[in-house]
Amino acid sequence: MKVLVTGGAGFIGSHVVDRLQACGHAPRIFDLVQSLHHDPDLVETKLGDLSDTVALAEAMRDCSAVVHLAAVSDVNDVVANPDRAELVNARGTELVLEAARTNGIRRVVYASTIWVYGGATGVEPLDESTLLTRPPHLYTATKLAGEMYCHSYAELYGLQPTVLRFGIPHGPRARATSVVATFVRRASDGKPLVIMGDGLQTRQFIYVEDLAAGILAGLTPVAAGRTYNLVRDELTSVREIAEIVRDLVRDVPIVYTAERQADLENRVISGTRAWHELDWRPRTSFRQGVRRYVESLSVADGTPSSTISSRISGSAATVMRQEPETL
Ligand SMILES: NC(=O)c1ccc[n+]([C@@H]2O[C@H](COP(=O)([O-])OP(=O)(O)OC[C@H]3O[C@@H](n4cnc5c(N)ncnc54)[C@H](O)[C@@H]3O)[C@@H](O)[C@H]2O)c1
């Protein structure tokens, strides 16, 4: 099956491309930039902007499905440039759905986020039937707009979108500003790990290759028109992340600094629906995922720190972003 992967050069998208290839599918990347992980001679690549409707429609030609990941995914970029975020995340998703409709493609998998549960009330764990509240964050607003467009295109035009709400991805190719990448870099440089607050705040991480498998499961017929959380049950605190990194990389001190406002409330999200309906389960523990991340950095020249600084651009961030780097 030929599958267009918007954002296929990105962190998650590059793993989706790998997984599609491994499963015998033919991925085609649509992205602003050339992938650092795929040779364009080996993986068909169309460079373009979502707002270029001609390029987008052309990129979808002969595809059976679209995995739509392209977005302004860094919450700090969203805050810095809300117009751009709205254009790419909200309108860009509408343009993807419209291009799919005009190309006769019914299956679109849309990348949403468990951030949509921010502010939601109800008994935890929260699941896909939880009533959502109006989003306080612009990033969430733009991602929810995309979810709503998926729903409208299903109702009006018979598209069969699948909405996938991702937990916090980690693993090889992760952005330099994510908490794991930051801790690994600092530990390998012999610097203390900086924790804001008491470090007891938790997140539901998902190892990126498990996530890619879940995204492919989202392409199966049973997922048509459905919404799924792709999360692990395991809750991981910042303290635990620090301990794992100290154990795997170097036993550097931990320094606690003043708390800052959290990016995301601590909510427990259920992944049960995806487990039951898609027969998908995250296989990789958080610790295993961190180990694989560290190993992936060491492949090039044996040292995490030099490889990290040379290979990761650091242009994007995720929740649990770690600042400052000055200690
Ligand atoms: N990383 C996370 O923490 C996380 C969590 C939940 C959901 N998501 C969602 O998953 C998706 C992928 O996230 P990621 O972490 O791989 O992000 P990423 O920033 O690594 O990748 C996004 C890709 O989209 C491309 N892109 C951006 N604007 C574009 C445009 N106008 N036209 C074409 N391509 C464009 C970028 O060049 C980049 O390669 C996003 O939709 C994001 O909102 C991410």
Side-chain angles (χ1 to χ4, degrees):
M1 169 161 82
K2 184 160 284 190
V3 181
L4 187 72
V5 184
T6 75
F11 169 40
I12 300 169
S14 67
H15 287 280
V16 171
V17 168
D18 286 347
R19 184 84 187 181
L20 283 165
Q21 283 191 303
C23 293
H25 298 298
R28 179 186 287 158
I29 295 172
F30 183 83
D31 204 299
L32 288 173
V33 297
Q34 178 60 54
S35 172
L36 297 175
H37 311 290
H38 299 100
D39 183 338
D41 291 336
L42 300 178
V43 177
E44 213 184 333
T45 301
K46 305 275 185 193
L47 295 183
D49 193 304
L50 292 176
S51 62
D52 182 345
T53 52
V54 175
L56 192 57
E58 175 63 27
M60 280 190 202
R61 188 178 292 172
D62 305 328
C63 289
S64 308
V66 178
V67 175
H68 175 42
L69 300 164
V72 177
S73 57
D74 180 336
V75 293
N76 296 292
D77 290 344
V78 172
V79 172
N81 193 344
D83 286 356
R84 175 76 187 158
E86 193 279 337
L87 192 69
V88 176
N89 296 5
R91 182 152 173 74
T93 298
E94 193 279 330
L95 293 173
V96 165
L97 292 163
E98 180 60 14
R101 180 176 83 89
T102 53
N103 271 279
I105 301 170
R106 298 179 77 200
R107 296 293 286 115
V108 176
V109 169
Y110 171 63
S112 188
T113 167
I114 58 170
W115 276 55
V116 299
Y117 295 106
T121 54
V123 181
E124 296 184 13
L126 305 177
D127 65 17
E128 294 84 348
S129 63
T130 298
L131 198 59
L132 303 180
T133 57
R134 284 178 294 190
H137 201 288
L138 269 168
Y139 172 68
T140 320
T142 63
K143 297 307 286 185
L144 262 180
E147 287 200 16
M148 290 184 197
Y149 291 145
C150 286
H151 182 69
S152 302
Y153 266 78
E155 292 291 320
L156 278 177
Y157 303 118
L159 256 66
Q160 298 178 325
T162 299
V163 172
L164 300 178
R165 296 173 178 160
F166 303 162
I168 312 304
H170 72 109
R173 308 172 191 164
R175 309 171 206 164
T177 47
S178 67
V179 62
V180 174
T182 304
F183 279 1
V184 169
R185 182 174 57 248
R186 290 185 68 89
S188 60
D189 288 348
K191 294 180 179 170
L193 307 185
V194 183
I195 293 181
M196 282 168 261
D198 59 13
L200 296 179
Q201 60 271 42
T202 58
R203 293 289 183 269
Q204 275 169 281
F205 285 91
I206 176 83
Y207 180 62
V208 68
E209 293 181 65
D210 289 343
L211 180 60
I215 292 168
L216 261 70
L219 285 167
T220 54
V222 70
R226 302 285 287 157
T227 297
Y228 299 98
N229 300 325
L230 296 183
V231 292
R232 278 188 67 81
D233 267 352
E234 187 185 36
L235 293 173
T236 309
S237 70
V238 182
R239 261 191 212 190
E240 287 171 303
I241 300 170
E243 290 304 338
I244 289 170
V245 169
R246 275 157 41 107
D247 196 29
L248 293 177
V249 181
R250 190 181 298 176
D251 191 8
V252 292
I254 296 177
V255 173
Y256 291 89
T257 64
E259 194 162 12
R260 56 154 198 180
Q261 202 182 347
D263 294 306
L264 178 67
E265 294 166 59
N266 282 338
R267 309 307 303 273
V268 183
I269 312 296
S270 166
T272 307
R273 181 188 283 183
W275 304 350
H276 288 160
E277 294 186 16
L278 303 181
D279 195 22
W280 167 85
R281 285 257 188 320
R283 306 271 171 210
T284 313
S285 71
F286 181 75
R287 186 188 174 87
Q288 285 172 323
V290 175
R291 185 187 293 279
R292 287 190 201 163
Y293 173 72
V294 173
E295 287 168 357
S296 75
L297 297 169
S298 307
V299 164
D301 65 2
T303 58
S305 56
S306 59
T307 316
I308 291 163
S309 54
S310 65
R311 281 177 41 194
I312 299 179
S313 73
S315 61
T318 187
V319 290
M320 281 184 145
R321 188 184 172 106
Q322 288 297 301
E323 298 156 308
E325 286 259 31
T326 48
L327 284 170

